[in-house]
Amino acid sequence: MSPARPAQSSPSAPEDPPVVNDGVEVVRAVLEPAEISRALSRIAHEVLERNKGAEHLVLLGIPTRGVTLAHRLAARLASIEGTEVPVGTLDVTMHRDDLRRQAFRTIARTDLPEGGIDDQIVVLVDDVLYSGRTIRAALDALSEFGRPRAVRLAVLVDRGHRELPIRADHVGKNLPTSTLERVRVRLSEVDGGEDVVSITGGVAK
Amino acid sequence: MRHLLSTADLSQAEAIQILDVADQMAATQKREIKKLPTLRGRTVVNLFYEDSTRTRISFEAAAKRLSADVINFSAKGSSVSKGESLKDTALTLKAMGADAVVVRHSVSGAPHRLAHAGWIDGTIVNAGDGTHEHPTQALLDAYTLRQRLVPDAIGADLKGKRVAIVGDVLHSRVARSNVTLLNTLGAEVVLVTPPTLLPVGIDHWPCTTSYDLDDVVNGGHGDLDAVMMLRVQRERMHDAFFPSAREYSRRYGLDARRMNRLPEGALVMHPGPMNRGLEITAEAADSPRSTIVEQVANGVAVRMAVLYLLLSGQAEGKDA
């Protein structure tokens, strides 16, 4: 379990040990705005280092928050390297393998950059990497649009519990969690307020 | 939502959701590879007791683009012609494991019976029942209207739009479904029809009526955003509802003269199949205002959305 930070949104919650009482969930903030910003800057540098520059790069965000992160990453790449990296959106809903079990999911837009993805280095961007099923769906979705030279994966948080042989190339923070917990990513562009990554509830007895 | 039997069952939020999903489905149909794996391993049965071109092909294309397996059943050439009842056919389909049954029947209420009699486990989609309802047609009409008339379509309703539905309202399931859905979406509907083709109980429909097409076209009920022509359903007419086809055409047909008096940008719609020369002239049907071919293309996207919405998350629904 990662060290708990006192939760700002629920000051009355007991700090140690965190417990769930009658549906009152404990929220622990694990990444704060400055940390999220630093993690993204580091990922931007890693992407450029790995790719030896910004050439042939295409960033594809997975809705909803992956798209926001992809745009932020692109802004950083532009400020470091001085070149505009195309950003797109890749919706994976219709390629998921759990549609039958999960309640209805809304479908978001898919917008690929004008040049397409053929022979490009595609960097998929998502907020949380968990079972790996979203990424599998993304790889399937991607194959419908073309054949990238390589596909890489950048995530803000890797919380473990993979169900498929998938790993991220660039990780903002590794966050060991219990499967009972929920990791929530809030970004100012989407959710308003401050950026925050928090872990909610679900402490095993 | 477990079945789609009537547009009256749809709340405004649900209707808008279907149109929004249809928008995304339409976007996938512009790709080089149109097929999506979404409904892989599911079986959709098209159970058609009545002739249809558009609706059956459209449902078949929609199901196939989502990778579902499609079984087409038409009453002609099946055991129905040997006298098999709807119940026995339904039990057969149940035994074959149909996840969704798209049904068209000449008897009003047949899909409702299938959905609630416990003969079959699958989801029922009404593809037109008698003179009752044709919800996917109304949804694709609403989708077409929204796409053409509302600039920022996603999430929007049809508030403030005025649509005239002209012709054989009595026999039209399209009219019934459209009046309900357009009203749910906030649009105003004017029915224009000869008095003989007005159904009983029209006072309870959420719309106004008129017997004078020229008056409505000239703006007698306010400026129109679209005119929806209905097919004169001769196969359901066992009485003389109007003196002659020529007189009907003169008074209630849409020709170039009437079309040109419509406000600029107003659409000409028809659910098909058309009787060219009777309710609509070739000039009107083929004009740039006409959305008739577009409606067919939109039909696939809307039906994909309906199948996706009804069939996703079904396992969870069964547990509950």
Side-chain angles (χ1 to χ4, degrees), chain B residues 108-255:
Chain B
S108 302
H112 188 272
R113 184 86 178 124
L114 269 182
H116 295 108
W119 300 333
I120 207 165
D121 297 326
T123 287
I124 308 293
V125 183
N126 183 358
D129 59 333
T131 58
H132 177 227
E133 284 248 20
H134 192 351
T136 54
Q137 178 69 42
L139 284 163
L140 78 88
D141 289 338
Y143 178 83
T144 307
L145 282 166
R146 192 176 81 157
Q147 198 184 35
R148 282 289 202 105
L149 300 175
V150 184
D152 204 1
I154 293 281
D157 55 17
L158 292 171
K159 214 179 193 72
K161 303 296 173 204
R162 189 172 291 110
V163 181
I165 300 181
V166 186
D168 183 0
V169 177
L170 179 63
H171 298 105
S172 178
R173 50 199 176 206
V174 176
R176 199 176 291 262
S177 287
N178 257 310
V179 167
T180 318
L181 183 68
L182 288 172
N183 181 61
T184 303
L185 289 169
E188 233 176 272
V189 182
V190 189
L191 292 177
V192 187
T193 174
T196 49
L197 288 172
L198 212 53
V200 177
I202 195 79
D203 308 339
H204 303 293
W205 291 27
C207 59
T208 54
T209 55
S210 166
Y211 303 141
D212 188 348
L213 181 57
D214 281 309
D215 173 53
V216 172
V217 163
N218 290 339
H221 285 246
D223 280 351
L224 295 176
D225 294 291
V227 178
M228 198 180 288
M229 303 308 295
L230 299 172
R231 183 172 65 91
V232 175
Q233 304 200 26
R234 285 173 166 156
E235 77 275 18
R236 294 188 215 278
M237 290 188 184
H238 306 298
D239 299 305
F241 288 95
F242 43 81
S244 72
R246 195 176 147 79
E247 182 173 332
Y248 180 88
S249 175
R250 287 276 299 268
R251 294 200 54 190
Y252 295 99
L254 188 70
D255 53 15

Side-chain angles (χ1 to χ4, degrees), chain B residues 74-135:
Chain B
S74 61
K76 275 180 199 139
S78 74
S79 288
V80 171
S81 51
K82 299 177 189 165
E84 190 175 63
S85 68
L86 181 62
K87 178 176 179 177
D88 290 324
T89 306
L91 292 173
T92 307
L93 295 178
K94 181 185 181 177
M96 287 183 182
D99 293 293
V101 178
V102 176
V103 58
R104 162 161 299 187
H105 204 287
S106 54
V107 177
S108 302
H112 188 272
R113 184 86 178 124
L114 269 182
H116 295 108
W119 300 333
I120 207 165
D121 297 326
T123 287
I124 308 293
V125 183
N126 183 358
D129 59 333
T131 58
H132 177 227
E133 284 248 20
H134 192 351

Side-chain angles (χ1 to χ4, degrees), chain A residues 23-181:
Chain A
V24 180
E25 285 191 314
V26 181
V27 181
R28 290 183 288 139
V30 285
L31 279 180
E32 277 161 4
E35 293 170 293
I36 292 173
S37 165
R38 269 180 234 125
L40 279 175
S41 298
R42 197 194 72 241
I43 291 173
H45 282 286
E46 278 180 15
V47 168
L48 289 171
E49 193 182 356
R50 176 89 184 261
N51 197 51
K52 301 189 173 68
E55 233 185 322
H56 300 301
L57 275 182
V58 173
L59 300 182
L60 288 184
I62 298 174
T64 311
R65 291 179 187 78
V67 180
T68 311
L69 291 171
H71 281 283
R72 288 196 193 176
L73 210 50
R76 280 173 170 76
L77 294 176
S79 74
I80 299 165
E81 206 75 349
T83 45
E84 289 290 328
V85 174
V87 184
T89 306
L90 183 68
D91 184 69
V92 306
T93 314
M94 284 182 282
H95 295 267
R96 298 193 74 93
D97 57 7
D98 54 3
L99 286 170
R100 216 174 159 154
R101 283 191 282 161
Q102 299 245 355
F104 164 74
R105 288 167 179 273
T106 37
I107 301 174
R109 296 183 70 85
T110 291
D111 270 322
L112 292 196
E114 215 136 278
I117 56 164
D118 278 326
D119 292 319
Q120 304 293 304
I121 309 286
V122 170
V123 180
L124 292 173
V125 185
D126 204 1
D127 50 357
V128 180
L129 179 59
Y130 185 23
S131 65
R133 288 182 189 268
T134 305
I135 304 304
R136 187 212 54 85
L139 292 173
D140 276 2
L142 215 49
S143 68
E144 284 186 3
F145 295 100
R147 185 179 182 279
R149 180 133 53 92
V151 182
R152 296 197 181 120
L153 174 60
V155 295
L156 183 59
V157 173
D158 180 351
R159 62 169 295 193
H161 305 290
R162 213 76 77 243
E163 293 165 6
L164 294 170
I166 281 169
R167 61 159 178 79
D169 299 84
H170 312 290
V171 180
K173 186 174 174 67
N174 281 300
L175 211 58
T177 54
S178 142
T179 49
L180 297 169
E181 291 168 323

